[in-house]
Amino acid sequence: MPPAFLSRNPAPRRGRSPRGFALAALCTLLAGCATAPLPDLHAPAPAQWRHAAADTAGAAPVDLHGWWHAFGDPQLDALVDKALARNLDVAQAVERLRAARDLHRKVGARYLPQLHARTEDAFDPDASASFFLAGFDAMWELDFFGRGAADKRMTRGDLDAAAADLRGARVSLVAEVARDWLDLRAAQQQVLWLERIRDARRGQSDAAQARQRLRLASALDVEQARAALAQAEAALAEPRQAVDANAQQLAILLGQAEPDPAWLQAGPMPSLGAWRLESAPADLLRSRPEILRAEAEVLHAAGEAGMARANQYPSLAIGGSLTWSTSLLAHRPTNDNAIFSTGPLIDIPLFDWGMRRAQAHAKQHELRASVLAYRQSVLQGVAEVETALGKLEQQADYESRCADAASALEKADAAVERRVALRLAGPADRTDSTIARDQAALALAQARAGRGLAFVALFKALGGAPLPAGDQGALAQGHD
């Protein structure tokens, strides 16, 4: 005959008594009676953006998770990929998320049976014998009055906060890499144009000195030309310093000690093409790290409030112990003994001068404060995006006007060149025209950099970052 647990036709079970049903219903009630519903956050997000969310009608939408590709710069794309793989701040956030996830996996272990082993030595008061004691202690804390649900909320809030911190680290990293790369390229372009202006100023100074020797120019003309040359030389110091500083900052972001020598070689400025934003203000609730963290803090505060409320009620557990003792050194014979005990463990708060109630009320106030902080974070996020959109719109207009000025001065310089060839203007006129043209080109390069940086600020405010892949993706999404 097969064992009973392998039998295909087990014996019919007897019906549960009304007392058993009542006890089960009471346990269920005690387990969930103190679990309060989560507060409604009421995110105050508008329906749409006030400022224009596109440069050109019909442009392709920019992907929130790969927005830097809008610059069309393969070097920038490679830098972002390397930074995401090597950055130390992101690596720290990943480890903290893993720590929070390990704790979240075992959140219910507190309400499972626990077993501990112990040993100790004891002396007989009459000093005639000493004993060695060994035993086991077991305890099973019962999940009553919502303590388990409160624990789950707190650990889930910690896990969500760690995931939000990881997302925030990635958002900041991508934005910083793009910003430093744009600043680096912009500074290199400034150096190129300022060197051309300096060379032109040097030619003016040499010409003024030659004219003075021919008594065709005064000492005042010479000193003015020298001053202009000195100013042109001094103007090169700031962009050269910016090149070194941004290259070093990129090295830090990529987790390396020294900048790549290739970064210090002058290259073209990344150009931002036409773009369109499809994100709505409500999408900030799922993408902006600051809002996600504020939501996680609400969940954690709700767990703390639930635990403070549960602490006003009795704590119930089932405990047991097994102790065995034997004499180690005795002047008289002794018998080995084993003692087993079991029973309920009840902790009932009777009188504590209102401290537990005050703690419960305080946690409720902290929960309300966290809800208000969440709403504030939403308002702050919307305001930052609106400000970034407005600034990007203004930068686009400024770039357009600088482009018009550069184009006009380019045509004017070509006209002056023709006049010089026809002997209708002198070399000094051509030099002045060339300097004006180069200054306009420098202003246009700075305007393009400003528009690019405003674009970076917009997508940082939106919480744009690549989706984590592999293990980090599972961690950030909180899947078991």
Side-chain angles (χ1 to χ4, degrees):
M1 179 178 295
F5 62 84
L6 294 180
S7 174
R8 297 180 179 271
N9 297 307
R13 298 175 57 186
R14 294 183 179 179
R16 182 175 293 179
S17 65
R19 180 178 299 176
F21 280 114
L23 181 59
L26 177 61
C27 291
T28 302
L29 178 63
L30 291 176
C33 67
T35 305
L38 291 173
D40 191 354
L41 297 180
H42 293 298
Q48 58 186 6
W49 304 113
R50 291 187 299 105
H51 292 89
D55 263 359
T56 305
V62 177
D63 179 16
L64 183 66
H65 304 297
W67 54 267
W68 59 94
H69 295 298
F71 289 101
D73 187 346
Q75 288 182 285
L76 175 58
D77 298 342
L79 286 173
V80 170
D81 292 339
K82 291 179 181 178
L84 290 170
R86 303 176 183 176
N87 182 260
L88 299 179
D89 288 332
V90 171
Q92 293 175 53
V94 168
E95 293 302 328
R96 294 190 182 100
L97 178 57
R98 287 172 176 164
R101 185 163 179 76
D102 287 342
L103 294 176
H104 180 260
R105 284 197 182 104
K106 300 300 180 182
V107 62
R110 173 181 173 181
Y111 304 101
L112 296 175
Q114 309 288 328
L115 180 64
H116 302 272
R118 56 180 172 80
T119 63
E120 59 180 305
D121 57 348
F123 294 94
D124 195 321
D126 61 6
S128 62
S130 61
F131 295 88
F132 174 76
L133 283 74
F136 297 92
D137 294 325
M139 190 180 72
W140 183 8
E141 183 178 355
L142 303 180
D143 179 12
F144 287 160
F145 304 107
R147 287 186 173 86
D151 269 342
K152 290 179 180 178
R153 284 179 177 178
M154 285 190 291
T155 55
R156 183 67 203 190
D158 293 339
L159 177 61
D160 291 348
D165 289 343
L166 173 58
R167 180 172 183 83
R170 295 170 69 86
V171 169
S172 297
L173 174 63
V174 175
E176 288 298 323
V177 169
R179 182 183 293 117
D180 289 335
W181 182 247
L182 292 176
D183 282 339
L184 175 65
R185 286 306 195 204
Q188 290 173 341
Q189 290 297 310
Q190 290 177 33
V191 169
L192 291 177
W193 289 111
L194 287 173
E195 285 178 345
R196 294 183 61 169
I197 294 173
R198 178 205 58 193
D199 294 342
R201 293 296 186 189
R202 181 178 288 117
Q204 284 184 327
S205 178
D206 294 342
Q209 294 177 24
R211 288 171 58 84
Q212 184 188 36
R213 287 193 295 270
L214 296 175
R215 300 181 182 276
L216 298 176
S218 65
L220 176 61
D221 296 331
V222 173
E223 294 303 324
Q224 288 177 339
R226 287 178 177 174
L229 174 59
Q231 290 175 344
E233 290 280 5
L236 283 164
E238 183 176 351
R240 284 172 176 170
Q241 181 181 2
V243 170
D244 292 335
N246 285 289
Q248 191 64 55
Q249 185 61 29
L250 278 172
I252 295 175
L253 294 175
L254 269 65
Q256 58 191 56
E258 295 291 337
D260 190 335
W263 303 344
L264 302 177
Q265 298 177 4
M269 179 73 192
S271 179
L272 178 63
W275 61 275
R276 178 164 57 90
L277 178 65
E278 289 188 337
S279 175
D283 295 332
L284 285 178
L285 309 183
R286 298 185 300 272
S287 63
R288 186 173 167 87
E290 293 83 355
I291 296 177
L292 295 175
R293 198 180 208 293
E295 185 178 1
E297 290 174 352
V298 171
L299 184 59
H300 183 89
E304 289 185 334
M307 186 61 69
R309 181 182 178 186
N311 287 338
Q312 299 179 93
Y313 299 96
S315 175
L316 307 177
I318 298 175
S321 65
L322 174 63
T323 303
W324 172 81
S325 65
T326 186
S327 174
L328 293 177
L329 180 63
H331 298 292
R332 52 185 173 85
T334 60
N335 297 324
D336 296 346
N337 295 300
I339 301 175
F340 174 76
S341 64
T342 185
L345 304 176
I346 304 176
D347 180 9
I348 303 177
L350 296 177
F351 184 71
D352 62 354
W353 301 96
M355 283 300 300
R356 298 191 186 213
R357 177 170 295 183
Q359 290 174 354
H361 290 168
K363 292 302 181 181
Q364 284 295 329
H365 288 300
E366 291 179 6
L367 175 58
R368 296 189 188 104
S370 67
V371 172
L372 296 176
Y374 171 82
R375 296 174 185 172
Q376 178 69 19
S377 67
V378 175
L379 292 177
Q380 184 69 28
V382 172
E384 286 189 18
V385 174
E386 287 286 8
T387 302
L389 281 170
K391 184 175 181 180
L392 183 55
E393 185 178 2
Q394 294 171 2
Q395 287 289 341
D397 181 69
Y398 178 66
E399 181 186 354
S400 176
R401 296 182 184 277
C402 287
D404 292 341
S407 177
L409 287 172
E410 183 74 26
K411 295 177 181 178
D413 182 63
V416 172
E417 184 180 9
R418 290 193 296 270
R419 289 174 59 84
V420 170
L422 297 173
R423 300 183 182 277
L424 299 176
D429 297 324
R430 178 65 200 282
T431 301
D432 291 337
S433 175
T434 300
I435 291 175
R437 180 201 64 192
D438 292 343
Q439 288 176 336
L442 173 62
L444 177 58
Q446 293 173 331
R448 285 175 177 168
R451 178 170 170 246
L453 293 174
F455 185 79
V456 172
L458 169 62
F459 278 89
K460 184 177 186 296
L462 288 168
L467 291 174
D471 181 50
Q472 293 183 12
L475 288 169
Q477 296 169 11
H479 294 161
D480 289 331

